[in-house]
Amino acid sequence: MALLSSTLLLVAFRGATEYWRQPLTFSQRPVGQIVNRAELATGIRQIQTANGRPTLMPLPLAEEVWTCEVVVIGGTLGGVAAASHAMQTGATTCMIELTPWLGGQISSQGVSAIDESRAMRWRRNFSPSWESFKALIKRQPVYLPAWTGLPAQLPVEKTNSCWVGELCFSPRAGATAAEMLLRDSAKSAPESRWATSTAFKGAAFDASGRYVTAVYGVRRIPLDPGYVPTGRLSQELERWYAWSDDDAYNKIPIRLQSPNDRPMIVIDATDTGELVGWANLPHRLGSDSQAFTGEVNAPSQDNPDCTQAYTYPFVLATLNDKNESLKALQKIPPALSKAEHRQEFDLEGFPFFNFGSVFNYRRIVSQKPGNSNVNNTQPGEMTLINWNKGNDWHFMDPPLVFTDEDVRLSGQQQDWLGGLSIESLNYGEIHALQFAEWLIETEATNKLPLTLLSGGDSPLGTLSGLSMVPYIREGRRILGRPAYGQDSFMAVEADLREDMTGGRDFRATAVALAHYDIDIHGCRYRSWRPTYEAAGASIKEFVVRPLQIPLEALVPQGVDNVLIGGKSMAVSHIVNGVTRVHYGEWSVGGAAGATAGWLLRYGKPNDLTPAQIVVTGQMPVLQAFLIEQGLQFTW
C-alpha cells in the first residue's frame, strides 16, 4: 500500500510539474546576424543543441570511457564525502578532481586547520562520518625535515597544537586521508574509480535537456616525472583545462557515462559550481539585494561581482634560512604598488608569536602536541597563514568568478576553462606573496626567524609556496525548486538568526547540518565605489541557530538527475558565511552522495528523481538511511 501511495503521488507530481519537463528555450540569433566580439576573437559561434544546452566544440574522441552510476565533479572536501557515501551504498561511483590532491579545503586549498562551531565542539554533536574522518586524519604520517629536530615521521596527532580548533595538520596528510577513505569505501563498490589532475569540460544531455547522460573531462599526465605544481594557478589554469597536449602534459579525454542507459546521478561538488555555470542552471552569484531575499542585512542592490574574498594560504616556519626566501620574495614585482598591497595588512592587535598568536592559530607542526603547548612558539615549527587582513584578496577589479555573460562572451560554454578570471588569480597570488614578505620583514626575531616554505617537499607541494589553488569561499549558488513558501528555494538570514522572526523549520526534509558564525569576508573596488556587500551581516555564533539544510537546497532547477555536494547549495550570500566552512561542506557532500546511492538502490519507482522524494512521501525513509550511513541533520 505504501508503494501504491508513493506511485500515485508520483503520477500527480509529474502531472502538476509537466511544465518543468519542457525543453529549455533560449533566444536564437537570426541567420546572418553579426557575431559578438568574443566569437570573432575565438572563431567559435554560440552553438546550442535542440535541447537548449551548450555543445562542446571541439569534443575529442574519448580515449577512456568510465561507466558510473554516480558521477562526482570535484574532489573537494564535499566531493570526497559525496563519493565516499555514494560508494558505501554500493553504487559504482566516479569522481574527477582538477588538482593533483584530493580534499579541497584540507589539502590543495591549504586550509588544513579545521574550523568548527564552538557550540558543536562543546556538545560533540558532529556526525559519526565526520568524526571518523578526523580520526583518520590524525593517524596520517607527517614527514618532517631534519631542521625541525623531530623524528623524520610522526602521526598528525603528535604534531597537532593550534587554537583555531582541535585539529591542524599538513595539507599532504589531508590529501592522503582523503585517498585512504575512498579506497576503504570502494570495497562496497569495487568498480568505482577516481582521478586527480582531471578537469571538468562539460556534459551531454538527453533530448529534453533535463537529464545529464554523460560528463566529459580531460586528464593530464606531466611529461616531467618530477613535476611540481607552480602554486600560480593563473599560469596553469588554461593548460590544466585545455584538451590538447602541450610541452608539459599529455592529455587524455574521458567520458563518464551511465551503465546501459540506466539512471545516473551527477553531483556538482566544485567550489564555484562548474557544472551549474557551464550549463547555466538557474543560480545566483555575488551579494543578494534586500528586494530579492528580504534579508535585514542584505544590501540595497545585487552585485554579482561581490563573492566573498578568496585566499591563497602559505606556510611559514620558525627556521633560519639566512633570508633566502625573503630575498626571493623581494624580487617578485608587486601587482599594485607595494604601498597599496601593504595598506591592506593588519594583524588586528594579535601578537605574531606565543599566547593567542597568529602563528599558533593555524600551526600545523608543533614541537609539543596538545593544549598544554598552544600558547608557546618554538623554533622548528610550521604554520598555515590564512588571514583576513593579509592574504585575503577582496578586490573586484576584476571579479574572480565569471558571470553568465562572461562565460558566454569567453566561449567557455563550448570550451570550458574553469570560468575564473586569470587576472584576478594573478593579483591574489602576488598579494599573498607580498603578505609573506611583509610578515618575514616585520615579525621575525633572532630567536624565532621566519621562512616561507616552498618546493616539491614543502607542506603545500608547490614551487611558489602558495596553495595549488585558492581557498574559494563562495561561487555560484543554485536556486532550488519551489519549497517552504518560495518559488525558488533559498535559505536566508532569518532562517539562521535566533534574534529574528520568520525563520523556517526545515526538519521535515533535513539532510545535513551547519552551524558557525555568520562570517562574511567582504569585497570592494579599488576606486571605493559602492560595493553592495553584506559585511554588516557578520555576527558571532551565539545568535546563530543551527541550520538544518533541507533536501530542496541540493536540488537545482532545470535538470532532474543533478545534486549539489558542496558550497553551491541553495543559500543566500549571507547564509554562505555559515555553510562554507569544513563541517558544513562535509555534511552537504555526504548527504548528496548518500541520497544519490539511496535513489539508485532503494528509491521507488526505479526512475525516482531527487525532486520527487519529498512529494512521494519517501523523505522519512531517506532520513533513516542517512542516519544509518553515519550522517546527522539534527541538533
Side-chain angles (χ1 to χ4, degrees):
M1 291 182 65
L3 178 58
L4 177 61
S5 175
S6 294
T7 303
L8 290 173
L9 283 168
L10 182 56
V11 170
F13 174 86
R14 286 171 170 164
T17 60
E18 186 62 28
Y19 72 96
W20 279 347
R21 305 189 60 80
Q22 299 300 316
L24 300 180
T25 58
F26 293 80
S27 59
Q28 298 294 316
R29 180 170 51 219
V31 175
Q33 183 173 324
I34 297 175
V35 298
N36 64 46
R37 57 183 174 85
E39 291 167 337
L40 288 170
T42 63
I44 297 173
R45 286 182 177 271
Q46 297 297 317
I47 300 173
Q48 294 163 334
T49 57
N51 60 21
R53 297 298 182 187
T55 297
L56 296 174
M57 285 189 65
L59 179 56
L61 181 67
E63 295 181 28
E64 295 180 5
V65 178
W66 299 7
T67 300
C68 325
E69 294 178 292
V70 177
V71 172
V72 181
I73 304 170
T76 59
L77 185 59
V80 168
S84 172
H85 280 279
M87 286 189 285
Q88 288 174 45
T89 70
T92 298
T93 301
C94 305
M95 182 170 70
I96 56 174
E97 160 58 20
L98 175 66
T99 74
W101 287 354
L102 296 172
Q105 287 196 54
I106 63 166
S107 59
S108 61
Q109 296 175 21
V111 194
S112 54
I114 305 298
D115 198 354
E116 297 169 320
S117 157
R118 291 170 290 280
M120 294 190 78
R121 283 160 51 190
W122 178 75
R123 296 168 65 99
R124 305 314 306 178
N125 64 342
F126 299 108
S127 69
S129 167
W130 178 237
E131 294 284 31
S132 176
F133 184 58
K134 289 190 294 184
L136 179 61
I137 293 172
K138 290 178 183 178
R139 297 193 297 270
Q140 297 310 302
V142 179
Y143 300 98
L144 298 162
W147 55 259
T148 63
L150 295 168
Q153 179 180 321
L154 286 173
V156 164
E157 60 188 351
K158 295 297 185 181
T159 63
N160 173 39
S161 179
C162 58
W163 63 277
V164 66
E166 298 174 337
L167 181 58
C168 299
F169 50 93
S170 166
R172 287 181 181 274
T176 304
E179 177 71 26
M180 290 186 66
L181 176 70
L182 294 186
R183 291 183 184 182
D184 186 63
S185 300
K187 294 174 183 177
S188 299
E191 299 302 313
S192 298
R193 60 193 300 183
W194 53 92
T196 56
S197 300
T198 303
F200 165 76
K201 290 296 291 184
F205 290 80
D206 72 348
S208 73
R210 301 199 61 87
Y211 283 85
V212 178
T213 58
V215 171
Y216 297 100
V218 59
R219 186 154 60 90
R220 62 188 185 277
I221 300 175
L223 298 177
D224 180 358
Y227 165 77
V228 176
T230 64
R232 297 294 301 271
L233 185 62
S234 64
Q235 299 173 10
E236 295 195 291
L237 184 71
E238 291 188 351
R239 299 178 77 173
W240 282 8
Y241 276 90
W243 286 117
S244 56
D245 297 343
D246 58 29
D247 58 0
Y249 306 105
N250 282 331
K251 298 295 185 68
I252 300 176
I254 64 175
R255 183 172 73 248
L256 291 68
Q257 63 185 31
S258 61
N260 299 321
D261 296 323
R262 295 203 306 271
M264 178 175 75
I265 302 295
V266 178
I267 299 173
D268 187 343
T270 60
D271 284 322
T272 59
E274 291 192 51
L275 173 62
V276 171
W278 173 80
N280 196 18
L281 305 182
H283 64 274
R284 299 286 294 178
L285 181 62
S287 59
D288 305 303
S289 68
Q290 287 184 349
F292 186 80
T293 65
E295 294 171 313
V296 171
N297 289 298
S300 60
Q301 294 183 29
D302 292 334
N303 186 357
D305 294 350
C306 185
T307 54
Q308 288 203 55
Y310 67 92
T311 307
Y312 274 100
F314 53 85
V315 174
L316 292 181
T318 46
L319 165 68
N320 186 355
D321 70 343
K322 299 181 181 179
N323 285 331
E324 288 302 315
S325 64
L326 178 59
K327 292 174 184 175
L329 288 166
Q330 290 171 337
K331 293 178 181 178
I332 299 173
L336 315 175
S337 69
K338 188 174 288 286
E340 190 171 356
H341 282 290
R342 293 195 170 198
Q343 71 183 9
E344 301 297 317
F345 303 154
D346 188 349
L347 298 188
E348 302 176 87
F350 288 90
F352 192 74
F353 294 122
N354 296 311
F355 183 82
S357 67
V358 174
F359 190 94
N360 293 23
Y361 189 53
R362 290 189 172 92
R363 179 170 51 187
I364 59 172
V365 171
S366 173
Q367 290 290 317
K368 296 180 180 178
N371 292 332
S372 62
N373 190 52
V374 76
N375 290 321
N376 299 314
T377 310
Q378 299 180 54
E381 297 186 333
M382 307 178 200
T383 189
L384 277 170
I385 300 296
N386 169 14
W387 196 253
N388 186 356
K389 293 190 176 181
N391 44 342
D392 264 17
W393 184 253
H394 53 241
F395 287 110
M396 300 177 283
D397 312 287
L400 174 66
V401 182
F402 278 12
T403 64
D404 298 342
E405 183 72 359
D406 294 331
V407 170
R408 186 181 69 82
L409 291 176
S410 66
Q412 290 202 36
Q413 282 190 316
Q414 287 70 49
D415 189 13
W416 181 252
L417 297 174
L420 299 176
S421 165
I422 290 175
E423 184 179 2
S424 177
L425 290 169
N426 180 57
Y427 282 145
E429 292 156 4
I430 293 177
H431 189 68
L433 294 169
Q434 289 284 317
F435 186 48
E437 177 189 339
W438 181 79
L439 287 174
I440 295 172
E441 286 182 355
T442 61
E443 302 298 333
T445 67
N446 290 333
K447 181 181 178 181
L448 295 171
L450 289 172
T451 294
L452 173 67
L453 298 183
S454 60
D457 294 330
S458 66
L460 285 164
T462 66
L463 296 177
S464 71
L466 300 179
S467 56
M468 294 180 186
V469 294
Y471 168 44
I472 297 178
R473 294 180 173 88
E474 180 186 11
R476 303 170 186 88
R477 297 168 282 107
I478 65 162
L479 293 171
R481 305 290 181 94
Y484 291 101
Q486 293 173 305
D487 292 335
S488 296
F489 176 79
M490 172 186 285
V492 296
E493 183 182 30
D495 297 322
L496 291 178
R497 293 286 294 264
E498 296 278 11
D499 56 344
M500 291 183 180
T501 60
R504 294 167 291 180
D505 184 350
F506 298 137
R507 284 178 295 180
T509 61
V511 294
L513 184 68
H515 188 250
Y516 192 69
D517 301 342
I518 299 178
D519 184 20
I520 306 292
H521 288 237
C523 60
R524 77 173 177 87
Y525 296 105
R526 290 177 65 197
S527 65
W528 291 100
R529 61 190 172 97
T531 62
Y532 303 107
E533 64 176 353
S538 293
I539 198 164
K540 294 299 182 182
E541 69 173 54
F542 67 88
V543 293
V544 178
R545 73 176 70 172
L547 178 63
Q548 293 181 274
I549 300 169
L551 177 63
E552 291 89 345
L554 279 58
V555 182
Q557 299 175 15
V559 286
D560 292 326
N561 64 332
V562 173
L563 287 165
I564 298 301
K567 298 188 183 84
S568 293
M569 70 190 92
V571 297
S572 71
H573 172 73
I574 290 175
V575 176
N576 170 262
V578 169
T579 58
R580 64 175 174 78
V581 295
H582 297 89
Y583 183 63
E585 186 179 344
W586 180 270
S587 188
V588 168
T595 299
W598 179 86
L599 279 165
L600 295 167
R601 290 290 178 268
Y602 307 109
K604 301 297 181 181
N606 293 336
D607 62 348
L608 189 74
T609 67
Q612 295 165 347
I613 295 172
V614 175
V615 298
T616 56
Q618 299 182 67
M619 198 68 219
V621 181
L622 172 61
Q623 289 177 323
F625 181 77
L626 296 178
I627 294 171
E628 290 175 8
Q629 282 254 320
L631 298 169
Q632 186 162 319
F633 47 83
T634 60
W635 186 246

